[in-house]
């Protein structure tokens, strides 16, 4: 009986709060925000899915594999020949730097996945924090 009275009192308080002008403004703003985020999310999801279908598929045609090999060859030749680096436009140098950074980042991620931890490899004798004199 006491639980029923408490729940009725809470319902009455909640109803009074819901009828206040501030609560109505908050509810309307939340509704508008929800509708906007749903519409924006659908549009962004559609664009993202369309791009992913193209970018994430593996190379199927032999011509695509040849283009990949030529791209790596151009990158390697531009990095390994210093006279080409000196004459390279800033746009190409920046792009090559980003490619190198991406390769380094994926190497680090692969190492972390391979070790199954963020710390380094366990070295016998180096895991102890005791003072060895």
């Amino acid at each position: 009986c006491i639980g029923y009275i408490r729940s009725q009192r809470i319902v009455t308080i909640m109803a009074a709060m819901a009828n206040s002008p501030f609560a109505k403004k908050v509810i309307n703003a939340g509704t508008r925000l929800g509708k906007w985020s749903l519409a924006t999310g659908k549009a962004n999801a559609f664009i993202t899915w369309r791009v992913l279908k193209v970018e994430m598929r593996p190379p199927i045609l032999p011509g695509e594999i040849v283009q990949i090999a030529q791209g790596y060859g151009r990158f390697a030749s531009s990095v390994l020949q210093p006279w080409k680096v000196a004459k390279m436009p800033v746009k190409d140098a920046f792009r090559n730097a980003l490619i190198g950074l991406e390769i380094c980042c994926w190497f680090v991620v692969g190492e972390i996945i391979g070790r199954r931890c963020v710390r380094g490899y366990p070295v016998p004798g180096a895991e102890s924090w005791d003072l060895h004199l």
Side-chain angles (χ1 to χ4, degrees), residues 2 58 86 100 119 124:
I2 294 175
R119 294 184 302 126

Side-chain angles (χ1 to χ4, degrees), residues 20-108:
S20 71
F22 177 72
K24 288 180 181 179
K25 287 181 182 178
V26 169
I27 291 170
N28 288 337
T31 305
R32 283 194 314 260
L33 179 65
K35 288 179 181 177
W36 174 81
S37 59
L38 187 62
T40 305
K42 281 183 180 178
N44 288 344
F46 178 72
I47 293 168
T48 303
W49 180 250
R50 194 174 68 209
V51 169
L52 284 177
K53 283 193 331 190
V54 173
E55 294 294 329
M56 296 303 290
R57 74 170 177 83
I60 299 172
L61 303 174
E64 293 175 344
I65 296 172
V66 171
Q67 288 177 352
I68 292 170
Q70 289 173 350
Y72 281 127
R74 282 192 308 269
F75 173 71
S77 69
S78 68
V79 170
L80 297 177
Q81 297 174 351
W83 60 90
K84 284 193 173 182
V85 174
K87 296 178 182 179
M88 183 183 303
V90 175
K91 180 180 176 182
D92 292 342
F94 184 70
R95 182 175 47 224
N96 288 347
L98 286 179
I99 291 170
L101 179 67
E102 182 183 10
I103 291 170
C104 291
C105 288
W106 281 115
F107 174 77
V108 169

Side-chain angles (χ1 to χ4, degrees), residues 105-121:
C105 288
W106 281 115
F107 174 77
V108 169
V109 168
E111 285 290 313
I112 291 171
I113 291 171
R115 289 190 308 252
R116 295 196 173 128
C117 70
V118 178
R119 294 184 302 126
Y121 292 105

